[in-house]
């Protein structure tokens, strides 16, 4: 059987997992796989054994089962391996869009897992997993929500690991996950820089792709850009470690908690049939272009969306802009200052004012809730 796994399995699937599935699901011998891969049979055997040993991890096992059912079963009768073949142009575009979505979600979750005390909690038979961060004094804050399919992919790629799987498994970012995070951040920054330099929308990307061969023939290869570790963290966590002139934290725990509460509602608002909520009307300068402007307000987690809208409306123009960018989109202060046309190092002052106003907003809500009844 012809081995065209790269055309049928998503690009994010590790090479070892692809060969494991080819051996277990299609019945290809180890020697046949080694011959097509151009390596020794012992290399394939070690990869297959390594994947088999990792099936004790519930996320890894679920990911392999899902891939086997999706890409190695005949959809007509559910029996026998499929005949691999090249994808059409439409299928390639769909696969590329899914890979881009996976990279975007991976970047979002891995950044949260880099925060001190953060773990990804996965419960059995649940469609969603959550990232929680230990805040001390036996307290925890939920900082992100992720679909279990994405969590399974992260585990299969060995970007997250669990020491003690159980009914509720807790995953932490691995060393390979930190390396992948640095790469994803660099790719995202390069894309943002290209859009900023060329002044083009995402729809004009094919023109850039056509010009790429001409540019690569004359341009010198750039050295890989080193990513600061703080770039992987939430801007609030990075600012909370700074000290003012009096030696006090630039952001105290109450301000960080207010920003995390807005972030939690923002994450919850993305769950549901309509996950592409439109928040661009709260941005006073610049645009992101990554949200659906035709999102229907009647779908999704309406309660969480309403809480975010009320909080941003209470902040008003300017303050809501920096809060949305830094707390929800996790944009760095330098990028936020550039997009809003502010002077350098002014964003942290405006962000602190926004968090103080946000804290007052949530405290006012608590007072009103206590007066009900």
């Amino acid at each position: 059987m012809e081995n065209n796994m790269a055309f049928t399995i998503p690009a994010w699937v590790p090479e070892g997992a692809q060969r494991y599935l080819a051996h277990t699901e299609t019945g290809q011998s180890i020697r046949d796989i080694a011959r097509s891969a151009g390596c020794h049979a012992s290399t394939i055997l070690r990869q297959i054994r390594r994947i088999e040993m990792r099936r004790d991890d519930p996320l890894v096992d679920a990911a392999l089962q899902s891939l086997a059912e999706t890409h190695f079963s005949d959809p007509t009768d559910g029996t026998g391996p499929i005949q691999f073949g090249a994808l059409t142009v439409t299928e390639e575009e769909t696969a590329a869009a899914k890979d881009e979505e996976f990279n975007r979600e991976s970047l979002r979750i891995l950044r949260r897992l880099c925060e001190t005390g953060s773990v990804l909690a996965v419960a059995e038979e649940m469609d969603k997993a959550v990232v929680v961060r230990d805040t001390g004094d036996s307290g925890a804050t939920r900082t992100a929500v992720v679909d279990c399919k994405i969590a399974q992919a992260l585990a299969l790629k060995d970007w997250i690991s669990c020491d003690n799987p159980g009914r509720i498994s807790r995953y932490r970012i691995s060393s390979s996950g930190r390396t992948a995070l640095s790469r994803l951040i660099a790719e995202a920054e390069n894309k943002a820089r290209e859009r900023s330099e060329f002044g083009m929308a995402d729809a004009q990307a094919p023109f850039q792709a056509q010009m790429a061969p001409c540019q690569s023939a004359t341009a010198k290869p750039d050295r890989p850009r080193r990513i600061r570790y703080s770039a992987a963290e939430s801007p609030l966590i990075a600012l909370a470690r700074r000290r003012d002139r009096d030696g006090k934290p630039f952001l105290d725990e109450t301000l960080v908690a207010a920003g995390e509460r807005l972030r939690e509602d923002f994450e919850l608002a993305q769950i549901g049939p309509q996950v592409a909520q439109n928040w661009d009307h709260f941005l006073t300068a610049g645009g992101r272009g990554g949200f659906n402007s035709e999102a229907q307000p009647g779908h999704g987690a309406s309660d969480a969306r309403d809480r975010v809208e009320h909080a941003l409306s209470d902040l008003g123009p300017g303050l809501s802009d920096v809060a949305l960018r830094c707390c929800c989109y996790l944009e760095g202060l330098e990028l936020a200052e550039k997009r809003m046309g502010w002077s350098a190092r002014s964003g942290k002052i405006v962000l602190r004012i926004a968090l103080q106003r946000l804290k007052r907003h949530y405290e006012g809500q608590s007072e009103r809730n206590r007066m009900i009844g």
Side-chain angles (χ1 to χ4, degrees), residues 69-103:
E69 294 173 358
T70 305
H71 301 282
F72 290 89
S73 296
D74 189 349
T76 58
D77 57 8
T79 60
I82 61 175
Q83 296 293 328
F84 296 111
L87 297 180
T88 64
V89 175
T90 303
E91 290 173 336
E92 289 180 351
E93 293 176 351
T94 303
K98 290 182 178 180
D99 291 336
E100 183 178 356
E101 179 184 1
F102 169 73
N103 289 335

Side-chain angles (χ1 to χ4, degrees), residues 115-300:
E115 298 173 358
T116 304
S118 293
V119 296
L120 178 67
V122 183
E124 294 180 353
E125 300 180 355
M126 295 294 292
D127 295 333
K128 300 291 181 180
V130 295
V131 178
V132 293
R133 180 169 58 86
D134 184 11
T135 57
D137 298 331
S138 301
T141 301
R142 180 171 53 186
T143 59
V145 181
V146 60
D147 193 285
C148 276
K149 295 293 184 181
I150 300 296
Q152 293 169 9
L154 295 177
L156 185 61
K157 293 179 72 67
D158 199 23
W159 290 354
I160 58 175
S161 59
C162 178
D163 297 331
N164 187 23
R167 185 173 177 272
I168 299 180
S169 302
R170 293 171 175 82
Y171 290 80
R172 289 178 170 81
I173 187 171
S174 62
S175 57
S176 58
R178 295 184 186 277
T179 302
L181 176 60
S182 298
R183 176 179 58 81
L184 292 173
I185 291 176
E187 292 176 356
E189 290 182 349
N190 289 336
K191 291 180 180 179
R193 190 180 301 109
E194 290 176 359
R195 288 195 295 266
S196 176
E197 290 176 354
F198 288 98
M200 296 182 179
D202 293 339
Q204 295 172 299
F207 175 76
Q208 298 180 17
Q210 295 175 3
M211 295 296 295
C214 300
Q215 295 173 354
S216 61
T218 57
K220 296 181 179 180
D222 295 334
R223 296 179 59 186
R225 182 181 179 186
R226 297 185 61 184
I227 301 298
R228 297 172 299 177
Y229 178 75
S230 60
E233 295 181 313
S234 164
L236 301 187
I237 302 300
L239 283 178
R241 290 199 301 266
R242 296 187 182 182
R243 303 283 176 174
D244 57 16
R245 296 179 179 178
D246 299 330
K248 298 180 180 179
F250 186 80
L251 297 180
D252 57 34
E253 282 294 330
T254 59
L255 298 182
V256 175
E260 293 292 357
R261 182 172 176 180
L262 178 66
R263 170 68 179 179
E264 180 179 350
D265 285 337
F266 178 83
E267 291 286 346
L268 292 175
Q270 310 307 308
I271 303 175
Q274 184 66 45
V275 298
Q277 309 295 340
N278 178 30
W279 308 100
D280 289 351
H281 58 285
F282 287 105
L283 300 181
T284 59
R288 293 179 56 87
F291 291 85
N292 180 13
S293 61
E294 298 179 357
Q296 299 297 327
H299 299 283

